Amino acid sequence: MIKRNFMIAGLAVLTCALPLSAAQAADYPTKPVKIIVGYPPGGTTDLLARLVGVQLQDRLKQPFVIENKPGAGGGIGADAVTKAQPDGYTLGLGTAGNLALNYASYAKISYDSRKDFTALSLLATMPNVLVVNSKTPAKNYAELIAYLKQKEKEGSFFASTGTGNGPHLTGELFKARTGLNLSHVPYQGAGPAITAVLSGEVDMLFDNLPSVLPFIQSGKVRAIAVTSAARVPVLADVPTLQEMGLKDFVVDAWFALVAPAGLDKGAREKIDKAIAGLSSNEAFKESIRKLGATPELTGGAELKTLIEQERERWPALVKQANIKF
């Protein structure tokens, strides 16, 4: 009799727990949601995370808090996302760097971008832009090449926002394709890298357009070329590297929203619906365009395909260009 009472009590608890779990999923989110960014504050990834966070907060009626965990080409932040509970309260702002390019530049990575994330949606794409200090005598691409060749004996330097990330690999590819003797100088994020260009510590920098756009617009740095297939409207007078003779030199940075693998179904549905709402929000898309980016709200299936394609592409490019780390 006692045993039977325990069984009945256990069934009663289980029966009560099931509807509660369903209710919790239906009510998501009931507390603040964290978006982990694997890069320092002030850079492109951080700016986009904050734009997206505000929009999701408006739609899901809970604070979306940005947490920066820079290091290892965005890998520290990406790893933190994979180790979080898949309950929808930890998301990540992933990039071409920590979801794909890192596999071309790091011998060992603690996560697998093919299986350790729930792909939610691509958010935006943008080119990298080659900039120099506005006081540099080179006014265009041809003059820059001549200037860097002239400086080879004393040394020419290009900055990046961190070893192994997109801007770094873009610089290495540029070095390989032009045959220039350039030395790489990595910095911890966009801010210090741009400061190095402004101070004359380095000769040039490739970086995501949003990070350097204010400095281009203020005249502190000069844009020499962009890495996209076509010119970008916000810098319509700046040519592409393809136009300058570097055939097939197309490098687009991209940014995406991800979550830990096995994301709770109820949370996934709510997040997907909120992202779908952003697709028709012209004010939000215009705010992305003002950064120099193109809004690309594709959904999870397309993002998974992109990650796969980029993971295959970059090791081949690194090998072809004989880039060594």
Side-chain angles (χ1 to χ4, degrees):
M1 187 70 175
I2 293 174
K3 185 176 180 181
R4 184 183 175 197
N5 287 341
F6 272 121
M7 289 176 64
I8 292 171
L11 286 169
V13 170
L14 181 61
T15 304
C16 291
L18 289 172
L20 179 61
S21 176
Q24 286 174 338
D27 291 340
Y28 171 88
T30 59
K31 61 182 181 180
V33 178
K34 179 167 57 180
I35 300 179
I36 294 178
V37 176
Y39 304 89
T44 301
T45 314
D46 181 70
L47 293 172
L48 275 171
R50 294 178 192 280
L51 277 176
V52 172
V54 167
Q55 293 295 324
L56 295 179
Q57 182 170 301
D58 287 347
R59 282 162 176 74
L60 296 174
K61 309 304 180 186
Q62 284 289 342
F64 274 68
V65 181
I66 308 304
E67 182 175 323
N68 298 89
K69 286 183 173 289
I76 291 175
D79 183 66
V81 174
T82 66
K83 288 179 167 57
Q85 290 295 317
D87 54 9
Y89 291 97
T90 300
L91 307 178
L93 208 297
T95 69
N98 58 16
L99 296 178
L101 274 66
N102 282 2
Y103 293 92
S105 51
Y106 287 89
K108 187 176 181 181
I109 298 177
S110 60
Y111 57 88
D112 187 339
S113 61
R114 291 187 177 109
K115 65 182 183 180
D116 291 339
F117 297 97
T118 297
L120 294 171
S121 181
L122 185 64
L123 298 172
T125 61
M126 66 191 67
N128 290 316
V129 58
L130 168 57
V131 298
V132 298
N133 189 306
S134 59
K135 295 177 183 177
T136 300
K139 301 292 192 297
N140 55 46
Y141 179 80
E143 291 180 3
L144 176 62
I145 298 298
Y147 173 73
L148 293 173
K149 285 183 177 178
Q150 181 186 337
K151 282 195 65 189
E152 281 187 344
K153 287 186 179 179
E154 61 184 275
S156 298
F157 303 89
F158 77 93
S160 81
T161 56
T163 300
N165 62 17
H168 175 208
L169 287 184
T170 304
E172 293 287 358
L173 192 59
F174 178 80
K175 174 183 172 180
R177 293 286 300 276
T178 59
L180 289 166
N181 184 22
L182 293 167
S183 297
H184 172 230
V185 185
Y187 293 87
Q188 290 296 316
I194 293 168
T195 299
V197 175
L198 294 175
S199 68
E201 190 174 315
V202 296
D203 297 294
M204 52 173 271
L205 165 71
F206 279 100
D207 198 11
N208 302 150
L209 180 51
S211 298
V212 294
L213 185 58
F215 299 92
I216 295 170
Q217 292 171 331
S218 68
K220 292 181 179 179
V221 301
R222 181 179 299 124
I224 299 295
V226 293
T227 64
S228 46
R231 297 191 185 196
V232 293
V234 73
L235 293 176
D237 59 338
V238 178
T240 69
L241 284 174
Q242 288 197 129
E243 289 178 71
M244 297 297 98
L246 295 184
K247 186 179 178 182
D248 299 326
F249 198 116
V250 178
V251 180
D252 284 323
W254 49 266
F255 304 82
L257 194 66
V258 297
L263 179 62
D264 174 82
K265 183 180 177 182
R268 173 69 185 266
E269 289 173 353
K270 290 287 191 72
I271 295 168
D272 282 348
K273 184 177 179 181
I275 292 171
L278 296 182
S279 300
S280 58
N281 186 324
E282 286 304 320
F284 169 69
K285 290 194 286 188
E286 184 58 27
S287 66
I288 289 180
R289 292 188 191 101
K290 285 180 179 178
L291 290 177
T294 301
E296 300 275 4
L297 295 141
T298 61
E302 291 86 349
L303 175 56
K304 284 187 71 174
T305 299
L306 178 63
I307 291 171
E308 187 67 35
Q309 290 172 342
E310 290 284 274
R311 278 192 57 169
E312 293 296 325
R313 176 188 181 220
W314 275 98
L317 283 177
V318 168
K319 184 177 180 180
Q320 179 186 2
N322 197 30
I323 297 169
K324 305 294 184 183
F325 295 96

